[in-house]
Amino acid sequence: MTEVVHHDVYSAIADPTRRQVLGILAGGEYSVTALTSHFTVTRPAVSKHLAILREAGLVTERKMGRERRYRLRAEPLKEVRDWTERFEQFWIAKLTALEKHLEKES
Amino acid sequence: MTEVVHHDVYSAIADPTRRQVLGILAGGEYSVTALTSHFTVTRPAVSKHLAILREAGLVTERKMGRERRYRLRAEPLKEVRDWTERFEQFWIAKLTALEKHLEKES
DNA sequence: TTGACACGTAACCATCTAGTTTCATATGAT
DNA sequence: ATCATATGAAACTAGATGGTTACGTGTCAA
């Protein structure tokens, strides 16, 4: 890992474990240990993934006694959705072509 | 680069150069050399990026004489859009909270 | 105050990544 | 036939990435 400097939202969600973390956090607030129970990797590994997600602004943390609770912060995903949607017309065009082809066949 | 085995759509779009390539290809078909003129990296680097994009199903190629023309294939981006949109309610909730706050202020 | 628990961080490692230069091959032009 | 152009692939490199184990510190419980 060795999360150095950058880590934008795109590279943050490139890792499947991190995407899964976000999926779990969609269900509420979790401590590192609680999160770790969902994975096969060790607790420090999850901790590092959380650091990367925090760097990308995708999670926030708050101290609760000796725990540290992580919470989803979805805003940065809007950027990804928007960028992706720029290409929507292209896959729609392809589907339309397919539909036309199927119409011609029937 | 050394694009090995996996390269799903998420890691394919994690690289800013590759996202830019897709943006350019949204404007039509391009040869490798034509694409390279938009970047500072060398032609083989662009070629490798294209190989990764092809592996992720995001571009298709066709031979045109001695050229090889690359074309956008946006379909795999639908998966990213869908995954991202699962979280839409969360950023909307945040905006709603902000709106409420602003309403209270005014 | 002594111990157990939760957590981040350091040190280390194997592998992947993005880039380079060099080379081989196919195709088009003279 | 000869030469230039377009491209992929090979060999190599520095640095990033994902993982581990070991350790230090803060906090709750006896």
Side-chain angles (χ1 to χ4, degrees), chain A residues 1-2 18 42 45 48-49 65:
Chain A
M1 285 168 155
T2 323
R18 286 196 287 271
T42 61
K48 287 193 194 178
H49 281 305

Side-chain angles (χ1 to χ4, degrees), chain A residues 17-62:
Chain A
T17 302
R18 286 196 287 271
R19 286 199 300 279
Q20 215 182 319
V21 166
L22 294 179
I24 293 169
L25 289 183
E29 224 181 28
Y30 282 76
S31 71
V32 182
T33 308
L35 268 173
T36 303
S37 70
H38 292 264
F39 299 95
T40 57
V41 298
T42 61
R43 200 257 313 153
V46 174
S47 198
K48 287 193 194 178
H49 281 305
L50 286 166
I52 291 171
L53 290 171
R54 181 170 2 102
E55 215 187 322
L58 285 165
V59 301
T60 58
E61 48 170 323
R62 63 186 185 116

Side-chain angles (χ1 to χ4, degrees), chain B residues 12-32:
Chain B
I13 67 167
D15 184 275
T17 302
R18 286 196 288 270
R19 286 199 298 278
Q20 216 183 319
V21 166
L22 295 179
I24 293 168
L25 289 183
E29 224 180 28
Y30 282 76
S31 70
V32 182

